[in-house]
Amino acid sequence: MTAIGTHREFRRARRQSVQANVMVTDSMTDRDVGRIGNLSETGMLLIAHTALVDDALYQFRFSLGQGATATIEAGVHLLWQDRASAPGQIWAGFRFITLLDSQLHQLRDWLASHNPRRPG
């Protein structure tokens, strides 16, 4: 298991918009909490439809593809949250705290495949 980055690395991580409807589940309660708006190797923007606790730690699960091997489970820290303009939605920024090495590699592969390098 890897502890993910420092605060400085978190700020540098390139974010990738997530066009698919990637739902996030709270592993402790087994309830859906929202969907991913963008993702980096150090964190994510969650568009939540449930109340969150400021500065709390969560254990989240989400899938970036088909099958059980595509499931990522991560310890996350809620850095900030703000009500979205849509009723019942909250935008929330999370930093990944812990992630299995294999899942970090999977996340990096997914990010690379959804952000092809442009020539030039």
Side-chain angles (χ1 to χ4, degrees), residues 63-71 106 110:
S63 179
L64 294 175
Q66 301 291 357
T69 59
T71 300
Q106 178 186 339
W110 186 91

Side-chain angles (χ1 to χ4, degrees), residues 45-52 54 80-93:
L45 170 71
L46 179 72
I47 302 167
H49 55 255
T50 188
L52 301 166
D54 285 331
W80 60 268
Q81 63 179 322
D82 195 13
R83 296 217 179 270
S85 57
Q89 286 188 349
I90 300 165
W91 292 28

